[in-house]
Amino acid sequence: MDKERTMEKQLQEVLPFFKTLNSEEKRVFINRSQMLEGEPNKVIVEAGVVCQKVYFVLQGSLRVFQLSEEGREMTLYRAKRGEACLFSLTCIMKEEALNTITVVEEKAKLIGIPVEYFEDLMSQNIEFQRYFLRRLLRKISSLMIRTEAVTFLSIEERLAKYLQEHFSSKASVTLQATHEKIAVEIGTAREVISRTLKIFQEEGIIKLSRGKITLLSPDKLKKRVPM
């Protein structure tokens, strides 16, 4: 009983729709769900496998990506605290496997809802529907922006945009990241990122050191970012 109360409290803090369930619905939700913990790089959903559950992130984060024919990774989106892995949602609704892989990025605690119960909640609980539709629309918008960037922007523009977003969101002039990690984020090869970063360094935009990028000129970087 104490374990159920602890889980109920955590779910109410993290998942907005959970508060709208009555006592019986909360009990059923907890009993029919499965808790899962994972260390970084643990595979949650493999490519080509039909999803059996929709996973909600209670702690940590998940990363969803695709592999190119050459074996390069392309990050599609992340699911963080209070969010669901929406690609598992789409493959359940379509009842087919997607060519995406979901892994733990930061040590995570997840709760998984079986497909049958998920469908019941979607058809019976309006707040649950709204929760998913809002987040699905946000992710679709984010994916459209990412697809547009990969399709229409040059590598230099994409890299400049990535760096500016990082420095702005972190309110920091340093970025701790390997060239390989940045390549994964913007969908290109490590060698391409290394060459482009060196160009930015020669222009006085950044300074490169082992595993770290330091911003020297925000104004010069801004000029590199597409409008």
Side-chain angles (χ1 to χ4, degrees), residues 164-183:
Q164 186 183 60
E165 288 174 352
H166 170 83
F167 292 130
S168 298
S169 64
K170 300 296 184 182
S172 170
V173 295
T174 61
L175 166 59
Q176 299 279 353
T178 64
H179 296 186
E180 179 67 34
K181 180 180 179 181
I182 297 173

Side-chain angles (χ1 to χ4, degrees), residues 60-126:
S61 66
L62 303 178
R63 183 171 71 93
V64 181
F65 65 93
Q66 284 184 313
L67 283 176
S68 69
E69 292 182 359
E70 296 79 24
R72 290 204 307 267
E73 294 182 9
M74 171 66 175
T75 299
L76 299 176
Y77 75 91
R78 289 175 170 81
K80 299 183 179 182
R81 186 176 187 270
E83 297 181 336
C85 180
L86 294 177
F87 270 25
S88 62
L89 165 66
T90 55
C91 70
I92 284 174
M93 299 298 283
K94 293 171 65 177
E95 297 182 346
E96 63 182 48
L98 296 178
N99 186 31
T100 60
I101 303 169
T102 302
V103 299
V104 174
E105 184 167 51
E106 298 176 4
K107 185 176 180 179
K109 179 183 288 186
L110 315 171
I111 187 164
I113 299 181
V115 58
E116 319 84 53
Y117 181 53
F118 172 82
E119 290 173 345
D120 289 343
L121 282 172
M122 284 292 285
S123 63
Q124 298 169 11
N125 190 296
I126 188 66

Side-chain angles (χ1 to χ4, degrees), residues 199-214:
I199 292 172
F200 285 6
Q201 180 171 247
E202 290 169 0
E203 293 178 359
I205 298 173
I206 59 172
K207 178 183 177 182
L208 300 175
S209 53
R210 189 173 183 82
K212 185 169 74 172
I213 301 170
T214 303

